[in-house]
Amino acid sequence: MPDLSPELLAFGFIWYIAFLFSTTCHEAAHALVAKIGGDSTAALGGQVTLNPVPHIQREPWGMVVIPLISFALSKGQSMFGWASAPYDPLWERRHPRRAALMALAGPATNYLLMFLAVIGLRVGAAMHWLGRDPSTGRADFPTVILFVFFTLNLLLGTFNLLPAPPLDGSSVIMLFMSENRAHRYLDWLRGNNFAVLGLIAALLVFRQFYPYVEDFAVNVLIRGQF
């Protein structure tokens, strides 16, 4: 069992709250855009909400158990989890572009949360509301919270945009297809069980290029603020 110090437990609590809120916003955005587009499946399940309970009830392992276990086993280096919003496959086939917008809504929400964290960091630094302890060099509590939200939502948004099933990006690419081509694509995508293979491939690719994405985002958006 890893050594879970009080400091690590406090950091884990911050990460988990950020994960829970960000994932809830992600899935609520899926559900809301689907409802606007004519599919009320997720809305009828109570998922057009920022209350995390309906989302946890749908995916208790992905939203509670696995995130906490992964954080403990990695000694605070990472947190892994998932959630989902139901949809009507017949609606997706009738309206592939609307389904693509539904898929895009989740990662877009993560990027919105990331930019809100950037605004908080930049304004807080400019107004001297945020900073570091001069004796230890450690960032203060509000800075840690905002940086966790920045890091987590950049990761969630980028990962979910990869065009591999079951990730959102595998549906988002239908925005760039004609309706006939989108129907043929859905026949291929939904007619085969690519979820496990796609997720493994996505993880392998993501590990290779994401550090460059993160470095670029940090350098452009928040470098030099602290």
Side-chain angles (χ1 to χ4, degrees):
M1 184 71 180
D3 180 20
L4 300 179
S5 65
E7 185 179 70
L8 183 60
L9 288 173
F11 189 56
F13 178 77
I14 295 171
W15 262 95
Y16 181 66
I17 294 301
F19 170 83
L20 194 63
F21 180 75
S22 301
T23 306
T24 295
C25 290
H26 179 111
E27 299 304 329
H30 283 319
L32 177 61
V33 172
K35 181 181 179 181
I36 293 171
D39 178 15
S40 297
T41 305
L44 292 173
Q47 292 190 281
V48 184
T49 178
L50 296 183
N51 178 358
V53 174
H55 305 280
I56 291 173
Q57 289 174 335
R58 179 171 171 80
E59 294 284 3
W61 281 88
M63 291 196 70
V64 180
V65 180
I66 299 301
L68 297 179
I69 291 176
S70 64
F71 187 85
L73 293 179
S74 68
K75 297 183 180 180
Q77 297 301 308
S78 64
M79 181 174 287
F80 172 78
W82 66 86
S84 65
Y87 66 92
D88 182 357
L90 295 178
W91 171 81
E92 178 186 49
R93 187 165 185 83
R94 287 195 303 270
H95 306 289
R97 189 170 294 274
R98 296 182 194 179
L101 289 172
M102 175 196 71
L104 180 61
T109 298
N110 290 129
Y111 285 128
L112 174 61
L113 291 174
M114 180 198 75
F115 280 114
L116 290 175
V118 169
I119 292 171
L121 287 167
R122 295 180 72 93
V123 171
M127 300 299 292
H128 303 290
W129 296 334
L130 304 176
R132 295 181 179 274
D133 187 319
S135 61
T136 64
R138 292 180 177 177
D140 57 24
F141 188 66
T143 302
V144 171
I145 292 176
L146 289 169
F147 192 75
V148 166
F149 268 93
F150 167 80
T151 303
L152 179 62
N153 281 285
L154 175 63
L155 186 149
L156 289 174
T158 305
F159 182 65
N160 276 287
L161 277 180
L162 292 177
L167 303 178
D168 295 326
S170 65
S171 295
V172 170
I173 59 176
M174 290 191 296
L175 284 172
F176 308 101
M177 299 179 183
S178 67
E179 187 167 331
N180 287 336
R181 185 177 295 275
H183 286 157
R184 292 196 298 270
Y185 172 72
L186 284 173
D187 288 338
W188 171 78
L189 184 66
R190 306 305 182 209
N192 297 277
N193 188 14
F194 291 127
V196 175
L197 182 61
L199 189 58
I200 293 173
L203 287 169
L204 292 174
V205 171
F206 188 72
R207 289 181 60 185
Q208 297 302 314
F209 83 88
Y210 181 70
Y212 300 101
V213 173
E214 186 176 40
D215 286 346
F216 176 80
V218 169
N219 286 329
V220 170
L221 297 173
I222 59 175
R223 183 75 73 195
Q225 298 302 304
F226 304 97

